[in-house]
Amino acid sequence: MNDIKVFKPDYRDSKKSHIPDMTVYKGLYDKSVKDPESFWAEQAERLDWYKKWDKVADNDLTKAQIKWFEGGKLNVSYNCLDRHIKAGYGNQTALIWEGNDPNTDTALSYSELLSEVSKFANILKEKGVEKG
């Protein structure tokens, strides 16, 4: 039970990965436990924010009050799609959908997915859906 098995992916170059090996993983894990606010602030810098947060965390676990990145504003859709297109990855696969029948699937690039998201956003606007 104490044996740790590590399975290295053969389908990608691990040197390009955010966490390329167990040493990096353990370092990140240790930082996340010892200094969670600093750790999560660093991770949050990987996203594009319209307004940076005022405070990383305001948590009182005894009262079940948990708040993260108060005052911060970001657009999730932009972070998931637009910024990758802007970085030149528009033609790369963003999503692979597989139906209940494994022979039914669809792959969408970031650009194609953004187009579909935009169409749906316009439908929501037509129906009166607003921010928030």
Side-chain angles (χ1 to χ4, degrees), residues 4-130:
I4 296 174
K5 293 183 180 182
V6 176
F7 298 92
K8 294 186 178 186
D10 59 1
Y11 57 88
R12 67 176 181 214
D13 182 358
S14 64
K15 292 175 185 162
K16 295 178 185 176
S17 298
H18 177 64
I19 302 174
D21 56 46
M22 288 301 289
T23 303
V24 172
Y25 168 79
K26 288 177 182 174
L28 288 169
Y29 175 79
D30 288 343
K31 184 174 183 177
S32 77
V33 172
K34 291 176 185 168
D35 188 3
E37 288 197 31
S38 173
F39 173 80
W40 286 111
E42 188 178 311
Q43 300 311 306
E45 290 292 345
R46 297 173 57 207
L47 299 172
D48 289 329
W49 294 80
Y50 289 116
K51 180 187 179 293
K52 199 167 176 178
W53 56 89
D54 301 317
K55 189 171 184 179
V56 173
D58 185 10
N59 302 328
D60 184 342
L61 301 180
T62 61
K63 296 179 182 176
Q65 293 177 345
I66 300 171
K67 298 176 183 175
W68 289 96
F69 302 104
E70 283 187 282
K73 294 191 183 287
L74 55 75
N75 181 311
V76 174
S77 181
Y78 179 86
N79 276 284
C80 291
L81 300 171
D82 304 65
R83 74 184 184 127
H84 297 296
I85 294 167
K86 194 174 176 182
Y89 302 116
N91 291 328
Q92 289 192 9
T93 303
L95 177 85
I96 300 172
W97 173 83
E98 183 176 296
N100 291 334
D101 174 357
N103 296 318
T104 306
D105 61 22
T106 300
L108 295 172
S109 69
Y110 285 101
S111 295
E112 292 168 329
L113 186 54
L114 179 59
S115 175
E116 295 301 315
V117 167
S118 297
K119 288 177 192 175
F120 190 65
N122 287 326
I123 290 170
L124 292 174
K125 283 180 191 174
E126 286 176 12
K127 299 288 183 186
V129 176
E130 297 176 353

